[in-house]
Amino acid sequence: MRNDEQHAKTLEPTWPSWPSWPFTGRATELELVRDASAAGRPGIVVTGPAGHGKTRLITEALRGTDHARVTGTPEARHLPLAAFAHLLPDTVPLPRAVRILSGVRTLVVDDAQLLDETSAALVHQLAVQGRTRTIVAAADGVPAPAAVSRLWTGELLPRLALDPLSREDTAQLLAGAGLEPLTVRRLHRVCQGDLRLLRDLVAALAGAGRLAPVPGTGERAWRGPLPLTPAVRERLAPALERSGPGERDTLERLAFAEPLPVPLEELPPHVLEDLEADGLIHVDDQGGVTLAHPLHGAALRAATGRLRARRAARVADAHHAALAAEQRTLVRRMERLDVRPVPTPVGEWRVAEGIPLPPGYAEVRARFARLRGELREAAAWAREGLRETPSDTGCRAELHLSQGRLDDHTDPDDVHAVYAAVRLGAPERAVGRLPAGSVLARHADALARGDGAALDGAAEALAERGFLLYAAEARAQAVRAHRDPRAARRSRTRALALARRCAGARTPALAGLVLGDLTARQQQIVTLAAAGLSNREIAERLTLSVRTVGNHLYSAYTRLGTGDRAALPTLVNAPEGVTV
């Protein structure tokens, strides 16, 4: 038997300057797997597309526990019991194999879809017998042995279908790479939850010098074409290898039309039906056709000859009207106090390709992101507008406002400038000045009355409309307003969850909220770590062992929802040179 610590090492990136990949997000899923592997439980099956982190999730859930592991491989899937060779004697019959492994308390089965039939039957028999807790990882979209699929279809084990990491969790995962937010957004969109592809792309970009410094930020940005690495090509095979009549032509036309859809009536219907059945295209409700995976367009364009590409490519003017329409949509949504995400493919495509943005569009994008609480992203959009027009006052103002200071609004009549008084804890200054019946007025009224339950309700309404930072602040104010300690704890938990989605936000209402979720000792250690002290320096200052400091930090990371030391100053809002 081998411990999972060995397996975890294979998950770390290989390029020199890259830190260890932290385990990020998945708090609910982590608890489900831990609970399923506890004494008296039968186990669990974790499913999801390849590369979505099933193995890492199980690794974290079982860290420090005694367990055996087997892994299915393509090379050995036709050799009976090949996956169990390190746990069983040679040429052992199935019934004896079941008896031998009945003494194993916990068995982890990775890549179960690749098991040979006899190994799959052994796993199924162990699950039926019930003496061995069976933790199984199986990839979606790949035929699995019937004995494996019957683990969940026959309800022998509960099934956990793993969703892709959210954009916020992906940003946290990449925090140590120093990537600017629009690059993180692009990587999340391109990889669609495939963490192995994400690692491969970042390594390729870094190795090829394709990450350009962003002046004045210490961050790096990816602009321009997609690197066609082996991992990328592997995932592109279904599109690149199409050779049916008209199929490749249709895919190339869609690729060169990006980011705009092609009208359904302009494409051959019999070809579209086949491509849609194979999951290669998407048809929207308005009859527009696009490629289903964001990787495909970039790869098809890169693989097309120069003359054919010139004939197929659209002129830049084709995007101007769509870009203006996106800008009008964003302005209308902000006027209606609704900043829930809306599709903006043209603006994002222009940034990805390195095409300059009109400063007016960039200013609106920055404002929309800022109102959502995405302050680092707001700053990135403002910089895009300033890249070609450094004197633009609108983008310059948004860049300044994205620093999070509530007293920097230049227009005193702006509704959000008035609302800043509520965020600062002085709702009386906003009385009668906010739109009647709006979510902003509801927050002001609840705070003026010191009503914790009403503040929680206002926070829910704000979050529903996309104002995540405002919602976090309302929850934090509810913590102080509640008289019931249990209600206060609930509000703090929800405030923390919202605040973590607003990376980079530091406001008075959120001050002290994160540290309040830690023990006193964890607060000391985290504050010192956020100020830049090493574990050894912290140990010397607090008269602790280095190991104890490390253990406290590990526990604090779990509570704070991060695994990256560089993120602590943002979470803790610690001043430089802090002393405890």
Side-chain angles (χ1 to χ4, degrees), residues 167-525:
R167 184 158 59 90
E168 293 83 6
D169 286 337
T170 301
Q172 187 61 57
L173 185 66
L174 293 170
L179 302 177
E180 57 92 40
L182 301 186
T183 295
V184 173
R185 174 189 279 271
R186 183 183 182 187
L187 285 166
H188 177 262
R189 183 175 65 252
V190 165
C191 295
Q192 295 192 335
D194 188 332
L195 302 182
R196 287 186 294 192
L197 178 59
L198 178 67
R199 180 176 59 185
D200 182 71
L201 274 180
V202 176
L205 291 169
R210 299 271 298 279
L211 295 173
V214 180
T217 68
E219 298 176 334
R220 297 178 294 169
W222 168 33
R223 301 290 185 265
L226 179 83
L228 295 183
T229 67
V232 170
R233 291 184 181 279
E234 177 186 341
R235 287 155 182 78
L236 294 172
L240 295 179
E241 294 175 1
R242 300 299 292 210
S243 57
E247 289 184 342
R248 184 62 180 255
D249 286 344
T250 298
L251 291 173
E252 286 181 355
R253 182 173 179 187
L254 293 173
F256 282 97
E258 287 186 336
L260 303 179
V262 175
L264 191 65
E265 59 271 14
E266 295 183 11
L267 299 168
H270 64 285
V271 172
L272 292 180
E273 290 173 4
D274 290 341
L275 294 176
E276 184 180 37
D278 290 338
L280 294 175
I281 63 170
H282 171 72
V283 182
D284 62 31
D285 294 337
Q286 289 73 44
V289 185
T290 56
L291 294 170
H293 199 294
L295 278 177
H296 291 167
L300 286 163
R301 291 192 295 271
T304 302
R306 182 174 298 178
L307 294 178
R308 187 175 180 83
R310 290 184 63 182
R311 178 170 57 84
R314 292 191 178 191
V315 295
D317 290 343
H319 298 150
H320 290 171
L323 194 69
E326 287 183 1
Q327 182 173 338
R328 290 193 298 271
T329 298
L330 293 170
V331 169
R332 284 197 300 268
R333 294 288 292 271
M334 288 188 287
E335 290 173 345
R336 297 171 185 170
L337 297 179
D338 184 351
V339 291
R340 285 171 290 186
V342 292
T344 51
V346 181
E348 292 175 14
W349 182 84
R350 287 178 71 103
V351 168
E353 295 294 315
I355 302 172
L357 281 179
Y361 178 90
E363 177 189 351
V364 168
R365 285 303 303 261
R367 180 173 170 80
F368 195 85
R370 174 169 58 83
L371 293 178
R372 284 184 47 79
E374 297 167 340
L375 302 188
R376 291 183 62 243
E377 185 164 318
W381 282 110
R383 290 190 192 97
E384 285 298 314
L386 294 169
R387 187 154 60 95
E388 294 294 321
T389 315
S391 61
D392 184 76
T393 56
C395 287
R396 184 65 60 188
E398 282 299 331
L399 183 60
H400 190 60
L401 287 167
S402 67
Q403 307 306 316
R405 291 188 57 182
L406 305 188
D407 55 353
D408 283 342
H409 291 269
T410 56
D411 183 356
D413 295 326
D414 177 74
V415 64
H416 296 281
V418 174
Y419 178 66
V422 181
R423 300 172 62 197
L424 288 167
E428 65 280 357
R429 289 162 47 191
V431 172
R433 301 175 61 195
L434 294 171
S438 68
V439 288
L440 307 186
R442 181 177 173 183
H443 180 190
D445 176 68
L447 183 60
R449 293 186 287 109
D451 188 332
L455 282 166
D456 284 333
E460 289 183 11
L462 288 163
E464 285 174 3
R465 286 182 164 260
F467 294 107
L468 303 183
L469 179 56
Y470 294 174
E473 292 172 326
R475 289 283 189 188
Q477 291 167 341
V479 173
R480 304 175 183 104
H482 279 302
R483 296 183 179 180
D484 181 357
R486 291 175 298 179
R489 283 195 295 271
R490 285 195 297 271
S491 296
R492 171 178 278 112
T493 299
R494 291 168 184 172
L496 284 167
L498 287 164
R500 287 169 191 149
R501 295 174 65 184
C502 304
R506 304 184 185 188
T507 70
L510 299 179
L513 184 67
V514 172
L515 281 180
D517 201 42
L518 305 178
T519 67
R521 179 62 84 185
Q522 287 170 349
Q523 289 183 27
Q524 284 183 308
I525 292 173

Side-chain angles (χ1 to χ4, degrees), residues 72-87:
T73 62
E75 299 79 11
R77 66 184 310 173
H78 301 298
L79 301 174
L81 294 180
F84 288 87
H86 60 297
L87 300 177

